[in-house]
Amino acid sequence: MTGSTNADLLARAAAGAPEGLWLRADQQDGGRGRMGRDWISPIGNLYASTIIRIGAIDPPPASLAFVAGLAAHQTIRQVAPEVAIQIKWPNDILTSDGAKLCGILLERAGDAIVAGFGINLAHHPENIGRATSDLRASGANPPDAQSVCEILGNFLEEWLRKWRQGPLVDLLRAWEAAAHPLGTALQVNLPDGEQLQGLFSGLANDGALRLRLADGEIRAIHAADIFLI
């Protein structure tokens, strides 16, 4: 039990812990999601974080959101091949009908990014205002959390290598191939409270979500909550 694997590794990163260090908890009592939301953490799911050190010639740190999403997507495909999944910008993993299976939180401490992964293997929260599921409820029989963490670590290492070797556009095209289809209807809630609706039109070369509005205008979205509609 810990409060939050991300919080624990942020402290270790600030003290000089190296890239590649992982921390997994069977349970958390202070897990966090994006926008400061609580992350429900019962025993049986995966809660794990790792440290990534940003080098001088690395791509923009914000693009690590896509690295983490691709690693989680590939992990779930391996441990639950019978479950159809898709990525939602920037890195939520959903079932084919839009229920959330995995959330990822990236936080920075100096030159370190801590990437936290929560994958619903056996449990999922209910009555939280959005559709959620877990792999077991979706018809899979996933391995234990430690085994999934090891698989995730291997895939993350592989995608980090591709991210560093570039070009970044190749990684973004791989992300698009794993995402919901072009033309998917989206609702976008911007940080300033503005709400937009439009159609998914892929990613810009910097990773921004391209949203086609009803009048044909393409808006580049760099920060927002995204919902399938």
Side-chain angles (χ1 to χ4, degrees):
M1 165 76 79
T2 188
S4 159
T5 57
N6 258 38
D8 292 346
L9 278 195
L10 282 168
R12 296 190 190 187
E19 175 167 311
L21 177 65
W22 279 85
L23 179 66
R24 185 185 69 81
D26 289 332
Q27 192 172 13
Q28 301 178 119
D29 59 12
R32 306 187 311 280
R34 292 182 66 245
M35 310 295 187
R37 300 186 184 95
D38 291 338
W39 185 267
I40 308 301
S41 306
I43 293 174
N45 291 341
L46 173 68
Y47 317 108
S49 301
T50 189
I51 295 173
I52 301 165
R53 291 284 177 184
I54 303 300
I57 61 172
D58 282 342
S63 58
L64 284 170
F66 306 105
V67 173
L70 284 163
H73 181 271
Q74 197 166 4
T75 297
I76 293 172
R77 286 188 61 192
Q78 177 163 320
V79 303
E82 60 272 67
V83 179
I85 59 173
Q86 56 190 342
I87 305 180
K88 175 175 72 67
W89 190 89
N91 52 30
D92 282 345
I93 310 298
L94 312 180
T95 62
S96 59
D97 59 359
K100 186 171 178 176
L101 289 168
C102 169
I104 299 169
L105 177 65
L106 277 68
E107 298 180 286
R108 185 161 187 170
D111 71 345
I113 300 289
V114 172
F117 298 81
I119 301 179
N120 296 338
L121 302 178
H123 310 283
H124 64 275
E126 299 181 359
N127 303 318
I128 61 170
R130 62 181 67 190
T132 59
S133 190
D134 62 76
L135 294 182
R136 190 170 295 168
S138 300
N141 184 27
D144 62 89
Q146 179 59 33
S147 298
V148 175
C149 189
E150 292 170 5
I151 294 168
L152 174 62
N154 289 335
F155 282 134
L156 183 63
E157 182 179 357
E158 177 182 329
W159 282 108
L160 279 172
R161 183 169 58 252
K162 293 177 180 178
W163 175 73
R164 286 181 165 130
Q165 292 174 350
L168 180 60
V169 68
D170 288 350
L171 187 141
L172 297 178
R173 298 294 86 84
W175 186 97
E176 288 177 336
H180 46 71
L182 294 175
T184 297
L186 302 175
Q187 176 172 314
V188 175
N189 294 349
L190 297 171
D192 64 1
E194 183 182 7
Q195 294 186 342
L196 302 171
Q197 291 189 353
L199 303 180
F200 175 59
S201 295
L203 300 180
N205 286 344
D206 64 354
L209 183 146
R210 300 176 75 248
L211 185 74
R212 182 179 297 276
L213 305 180
D215 63 1
E217 177 191 357
I218 300 291
R219 286 280 297 269
I221 307 298
H222 293 90
D225 265 345
I226 308 295
F227 300 90
L228 305 187
I229 57 176

